[in-house]
Amino acid sequence: MRAARQWTAVHLASLPWNNWAADTVHSVLLSVSELVTNAHLHAAGTAHLVLTWDGVCLHVSVADSDPRLPSPRESDAEADAGATSGRGLGIVTTLADSWNVHSCHGGKAITACFRPRGGPGPHAG
């Protein structure tokens, strides 16, 4: 998971909004950690991390070989207060502007979208 965060941090540094959207950077890094951790816990293979910046949204995709599609918990009441896991997708739901999951290549991919705020518009400069 550390390697995924470090790889992501290097790539985020190349984006034009990296310096003025610290909250988004932190949200992306935490979400990468959660998504990659989930992939390693639930899939019987490697996880594939892809970052795509389209000028408006950073798409963070993690694909794995587990065909089971996850869903977030309905509420915090469903989470056992003493549980040490089971909150990853809830964290991503809170941090990302949107997310989706779809089946692909015998497994699944979860993609979270992050729109940086607080700086110039997407076409500035």
Side-chain angles (χ1 to χ4, degrees):
M1 287 36 85
R2 182 175 183 221
R5 283 191 311 271
Q6 290 173 331
W7 182 86
T8 300
V10 167
H11 285 51
L12 288 174
S14 71
L15 294 173
W17 47 266
N18 182 65
N19 293 328
W20 50 261
D23 286 347
T24 302
V25 170
H26 294 299
S27 293
V28 169
L29 292 173
L30 180 54
S31 295
V32 163
S33 183
E34 293 297 331
L35 291 172
V36 171
T37 297
N38 283 350
H40 284 289
L41 287 174
H42 301 292
T46 59
H48 300 279
L49 170 62
V50 176
L51 304 177
T52 307
W53 171 243
D54 67 9
V56 176
C57 179
L58 177 70
H59 304 271
V60 176
S61 296
V62 176
D64 64 47
S65 60
D66 184 355
R68 294 174 293 165
L69 302 181
S71 61
R73 293 194 168 139
E74 293 296 318
S75 70
D76 288 337
E78 288 184 58
D80 177 359
T84 58
S85 66
R87 294 180 179 86
L89 201 51
I91 290 170
V92 173
T93 299
T94 300
L95 296 175
D97 291 291
S98 62
W99 70 272
N100 66 58
V101 60
H102 63 275
S103 298
C104 65
H105 309 292
K108 68 178 170 305
I110 298 175
T111 302
C113 176
F114 298 86
R115 292 180 185 89
R117 291 176 181 81
H123 303 294

